[in-house]
Amino acid sequence: MDQSHSQEFIQHVINGVSLGSIYALIALGYTMVYGILQLINFAHSEVYMVGAFAAYYVGSNKYLALTEHQGVGALIVLLIVAIAACSILGVTIERLAYRPLRKAPKLNILITAIGVSLLLQYSGQIVFGSDPKLFPEVIKDVSLFKIGGVEVHSLDVTILVVGTIVMLGLHFLVQHTKIGIAMRAVSSNEMVARLMGINVNRIISFTFILGSSLAGVASVLVGLKYPKIDPLMGMLFGIKAFVAAVLGGIGSLPGAMLGGVLLGLCEEMVVGYISSTYRDALAFGILIVILLFRPAGLLGSVQREKV
Amino acid sequence: MKISRHCFLKIRSAMPALSLALVTVLALALGCTKKPTNTNEILVGEFGSFSGSEATFGQSTSEGVKLAFAEINKKGGINGKQLRLISLDNQGKPEEARAAVQRLITQDKVVAVLGEVASSRSLAAAPVAQQYQVPLITPSSTNPKVTEIGDYVFRVCFIDPFQGLVMAKFAALDLKKKRVAILRDVKSDYSTGLADVFATEFKKLGGEIVADESYQAGETDFKAQLTQLKGKKPDAIFVPGYYTEVGLIARQTRQLGMTAPLLGGDGWDSEKLSELGQDAIKGSYFSNHYTTESTEPIVTNFIKAYRDAYGGKTPDGLAALGYDAAGILIQAISRTTEITPKNIRDEIAKTVDYPGVTGKITINEKRDATKSAVVVQVDGKVNRFIKTIAP
């Protein structure tokens, strides 16, 4: 009996980390845009949805028929397609909807973000059709090895590996490259950054490209793990990822990763040991409690109001 | 104080514009209600989820309804009058369903209303039909409460207790299962209805419910619940949800290494089920309203007509029920001497042994349909007919 309990627990941990790393990838997009513009980009979850559909169409039997060429190569093709589609969409949204409002009160741009999100959700239903679609299976789900009597599947490993690579890459980009320094400069003080000769518009566009690309990666990983995609798929994941971003400290990149994994694990444990009815109640309960004790989130720093 | 006065002045200066807008809206609204009514037409309303996550339900039903209308109109209509269908989308939301029925009755002045698939939306919309005394036939809402709303609400499908009973009997007597776990969608009246009846009936037949876990429609990750189920070692899992989630549930069940068959209800009925579930859903069973494998002429004729009309698509159970709901309504209208909602209601209530695609339908005193159910087994794109279970 004891052994089966520990097996169950390990299974829950594996499930939770796998779910959490997807939350983390989407949360990074929210957090980056917030770090630079102090804007909660509600359209981010729809960018993620469009990425999944782009990969679906290119990978489907009509074009590349990737289900017949399973393997890492096919996965990379899907990732590139989703990243490209998301980047283009993300940067277009920024250019057409957010940039004209940059000088307007913050509330206006927030409402625009909600508007863009709804626009994409409902146009998605017209363009893609609202019935669920089957995402191409490019990685075969086989059990690879066992930890404490629990099978670990190739999909979970793929998600973890791809997620880790992308996050390490992001960390390197932000901390050790010129453009990363420029991003951090714009984030800490836009006006001074401009005086230092940084092209702020270009950096903001780049941030949107980067954030949207992460959403693209997440969309393919989700497509593999839960191969049912539909135009409303962004809503739930988007809100959860947003919670994860706030939990870790919005604006903080390591915070988003930590928040994502933490939320994934918590949800999994609650559903496993209490009841699935409390899943969302818990997600938002955690949010409230953390914000009560640490208003800036787990790893966020309290920002002084800029004058 | 100064601020509030300032605001007030602002509002006052906006008054002319506001009142103009109000007048325009009113004029438009009135314009809509004064639509010229064509006396050579009988207007029937339909509401359904044509968009949203359950869009295939609404679309299938509507295709069945439209086929029945097209057939009667081709034959010259009812006493020379053509039937015209007005379809409104409710996006899968109960509040929109209510608004749609309100509009159909008060603005479009329909004599009868057809819809909805989901019990939650029928429950939201049917009170409107009852209030205005216009008959409403739901093709496939199986929750018992729907027709309890009033004497103008009918259904042509069987009800939840019956489906729960059918699957409990099938699991205990045909599959000889002893330990069954339940995984229910807690947000859906339909799912909890089926799950409750299944649990009671299965226990009566000597079986044991080893676990009763829940999920919510729209979720994609069910591993936590399934991991809990796995620990209880069930030999079958009853998942009375909709195909949108069942496909993924089946996959994740198999990923966790469970091989027990899944059992379900008519919410599974969609071509998408096997597409989403692939090999994982193969061999599982669900109760349904009809089977395409039937050899009865009424069924084969329907399938042929449907395929001709919709580019070779095979009708699912919802299309068949939509077709039967429309058929019963058409027959009721043709029996009336004068076409009024009240007369149509009385005639629908008198329906006995209507030869429908989904079986012989009799409307009982509770305005529910008395008919049999079939159990089918998922086998790729086709659902193999296993057994008919009578009430």
Side-chain angles (χ1 to χ4, degrees):
Chain A
M1 228 15 216
D2 246 353
Q3 201 200 348
S4 78
H5 274 295
S6 70
Q7 274 186 18
E8 257 173 36
F9 183 77
I10 294 170
Q11 183 73 59
H12 283 313
V13 171
I14 295 174
N15 299 343
V17 170
S18 164
L19 180 67
S21 41
I22 294 172
Y23 285 154
L25 280 176
I26 309 176
L28 281 168
Y30 278 106
T31 238
M32 276 200 286
V33 169
Y34 184 86
I36 290 215
L37 287 183
Q38 280 80 51
L39 159 74
I40 302 195
N41 180 14
F42 279 109
H44 190 61
S45 54
E46 271 56 53
V47 169
Y48 148 83
M49 176 271 289
V50 171
F53 272 94
Y56 161 77
Y57 281 113
V58 173
S60 70
N61 291 335
K62 227 186 214 164
Y63 297 101
L64 294 181
L66 287 179
T67 35
E68 284 152 36
H69 308 91
Q70 289 179 332
V72 180
L75 175 66
I76 291 172
V77 172
L78 285 192
L79 284 172
I80 290 172
V81 169
I83 288 174
C86 289
S87 304
I88 293 170
L89 182 64
V91 104
T92 314
I93 293 172
E94 194 271 325
R95 189 72 194 80
L96 298 182
Y98 300 155
R99 192 175 294 182
L101 291 175
R102 191 132 349 121
K103 295 273 177 286
K106 287 270 183 285
L107 195 59
N108 297 16
I109 193 165
L110 188 76
I111 290 167
T112 309
I114 296 175
V116 172
S117 164
L118 289 174
L119 174 77
L120 287 173
Q121 258 176 37
Y122 288 93
S123 339
Q125 292 202 24
I126 297 167
V127 178
F128 308 131
S130 47
D131 54 326
K133 309 264 189 308
L134 181 75
F135 197 82
E137 257 182 306
V138 294
I139 298 282
K140 222 171 171 47
D141 192 38
V142 290
S143 104
L144 290 180
F145 52 87
K146 282 191 170 186
I147 302 179
V150 177
E151 289 179 349
V152 178
H153 285 254
S154 48
L155 276 186
D156 292 326
V157 174
T158 310
I159 288 173
L160 214 58
V161 169
V162 174
T164 314
I165 292 176
V166 168
M167 287 186 222
L168 285 177
L170 180 74
H171 182 79
F172 175 79
L173 189 100
V174 172
Q175 296 296 334
H176 301 286
T177 63
K178 217 170 161 183
I179 196 150
I181 296 170
M183 275 171 72
R184 284 186 288 146
V186 173
S187 157
S188 90
N189 192 326
E190 191 195 311
M191 204 196 298
V192 176
R194 201 187 297 273
L195 290 173
M196 295 296 129
I198 294 173
N199 184 341
V200 172
N201 276 339
R202 236 186 58 208
I203 295 299
I204 290 175
S205 295
F206 182 74
T207 307
F208 270 87
I209 290 179
L210 209 56
S212 306
S213 304
L214 295 177
V217 173
S219 73
V220 172
L221 296 182
V222 170
L224 288 179
K225 192 167 159 65
Y226 314 110
K228 182 195 82 172
I229 61 168
D230 62 73
L232 301 180
M233 68 188 276
M235 246 188 326
L236 204 68
F237 263 93
I239 293 176
K240 296 285 178 60
F242 172 60
V243 170
V246 175
L247 182 65
I250 193 143
S252 150
L253 297 184
M257 297 180 211
L258 179 72
V261 175
L262 219 55
L263 186 68
L265 276 172
C266 285
E267 271 192 14
E268 181 74 21
M269 296 300 165
V270 166
V271 179
Y273 292 112
I274 307 173
S275 161
S276 80
T277 323
Y278 297 112
R279 182 180 221 150
D280 297 347
L282 172 97
F284 294 98
I286 292 179
L287 181 74
I288 293 168
V289 171
I290 299 255
L291 292 185
L292 275 178
F293 292 101
R294 287 193 62 95
L298 290 175
L299 299 183
S301 53
V302 183
Q303 279 193 350
R304 287 170 307 265
E305 193 65 31
K306 283 177 206 156
V307 193
Chain B
M1 277 322 275
K2 208 173 173 195
I3 294 169
S4 68
R5 214 177 126 198
H6 182 71
C7 283
F8 181 68
L9 284 176
K10 243 188 173 169
I11 293 173
R12 269 196 57 179
S13 62
M15 274 310 257
L18 273 176
S19 47
L20 186 70
L22 199 68
V23 168
T24 323
V25 169
L26 273 177
L28 277 173
L30 286 174
C32 284
T33 52
K34 282 193 180 160
K35 216 174 269 172
T37 39
N38 186 340
T39 47
N40 272 328
E41 271 181 347
I42 304 168
L43 290 179
V44 173
E46 186 207 13
F47 66 109
S49 52
F50 305 133
S51 64
S53 60
E54 285 159 25
T56 59
F57 288 164
Q59 286 155 4
S60 282
T61 307
S62 189
E63 281 168 1
V65 170
K66 281 177 186 142
L67 182 65
F69 275 53
E71 283 175 357
I72 185 79
N73 282 339
K74 215 185 197 175
K75 285 184 202 151
I78 298 171
N79 297 331
K81 287 186 177 178
Q82 291 281 303
L83 283 153
R84 190 153 74 87
L85 185 71
I86 303 172
S87 300
L88 293 184
D89 180 16
N90 61 37
Q91 301 161 14
K93 297 175 189 159
E95 63 278 12
E96 293 287 339
R98 198 183 169 86
V101 171
Q102 183 97 34
R103 200 191 122 178
L104 286 169
I105 294 173
T106 56
Q107 284 184 30
D108 299 319
K109 311 263 184 242
V110 297
V111 295
V113 180
L114 295 170
E116 234 279 2
V117 174
S119 295
S120 48
R121 295 193 285 275
S122 294
L123 283 168
V128 181
Q130 180 64 30
Q131 184 198 336
Y132 288 98
Q133 312 257 295
V134 171
L136 178 144
I137 306 179
T138 159
S140 41
S141 286
T142 48
N143 190 301
K145 288 183 210 141
V146 174
T147 49
E148 286 166 14
I149 285 169
D151 57 347
Y152 276 79
V153 186
F154 297 88
R155 84 175 98 220
V156 298
C157 56
F158 41 65
I159 55 179
D160 287 347
F162 183 58
Q163 273 199 88
L165 171 74
V166 164
M167 287 321 280
K169 268 189 180 170
F170 182 71
L173 306 177
D174 294 280
L175 297 178
K176 308 250 183 275
K177 300 291 180 193
K178 296 266 180 277
R179 300 164 56 79
V180 175
I182 293 175
L183 184 58
R184 60 170 85 194
D185 174 358
V186 277
K187 258 186 1 196
S188 141
D189 293 336
Y190 161 78
S191 188
T192 50
L194 252 75
D196 288 342
V197 176
F198 180 89
T200 338
E201 296 295 332
F202 190 66
K203 279 185 218 152
K204 262 192 218 161
L205 293 165
E208 190 192 344
I209 303 293
V210 292
D212 195 336
E213 294 281 333
S214 58
Y215 67 94
Q216 291 182 24
E219 288 179 350
T220 47
D221 188 274
F222 310 97
K223 284 228 171 124
Q225 296 94 315
L226 291 169
T227 305
Q228 287 309 103
L229 293 189
K230 193 186 172 190
K232 304 279 168 43
K233 302 196 174 50
D235 47 24
I237 307 170
F238 186 54
V239 193
Y242 293 119
Y243 71 92
T244 40
E245 279 78 33
V246 171
L248 287 184
I249 291 175
R251 272 171 188 264
Q252 292 171 21
T253 309
R254 302 298 176 240
Q255 279 166 6
L256 289 172
M258 279 190 279
T259 50
L262 305 187
L263 310 172
D266 59 333
W268 285 26
D269 187 27
S270 165
E271 280 193 351
K272 291 268 168 185
L273 178 72
S274 61
E275 195 186 318
L276 293 169
Q278 302 266 316
D279 284 346
I281 194 72
K282 207 171 165 182
S284 290
Y285 303 89
F286 66 97
S287 56
N288 205 353
H289 302 271
Y290 100 124
T291 164
T292 47
E293 294 202 329
S294 168
T295 47
E296 282 187 48
I298 179 150
V299 180
T300 50
N301 287 342
F302 165 69
I303 293 172
K304 191 184 170 298
Y306 189 91
R307 283 194 177 137
D308 290 345
Y310 302 108
K313 207 161 98 178
T314 305
D316 55 19
L318 296 172
L321 284 168
Y323 184 79
D324 281 353
I328 285 180
L329 178 64
I330 289 165
Q331 217 186 49
I333 296 176
S334 64
R335 285 200 302 258
T336 54
T337 39
E338 188 200 351
I339 299 169
T340 65
K342 167 98 179 56
N343 290 346
I344 296 173
R345 190 222 85 91
D346 294 344
E347 289 303 328
I348 298 171
K350 285 181 203 155
T351 305
V352 175
D353 281 343
Y354 172 83
V357 175
T358 61
K360 273 209 171 87
I361 300 168
T362 299
I363 301 290
N364 66 18
E365 69 284 358
K366 287 179 173 165
R367 295 169 304 284
D368 295 330
T370 322
K371 61 200 282 199
S372 53
V374 294
V375 175
V376 294
Q377 183 175 31
V378 185
D379 182 12
K381 280 266 168 226
V382 268
N383 296 321
R384 300 252 167 262
F385 172 64
I386 301 291
K387 204 173 177 204
T388 303
I389 296 183

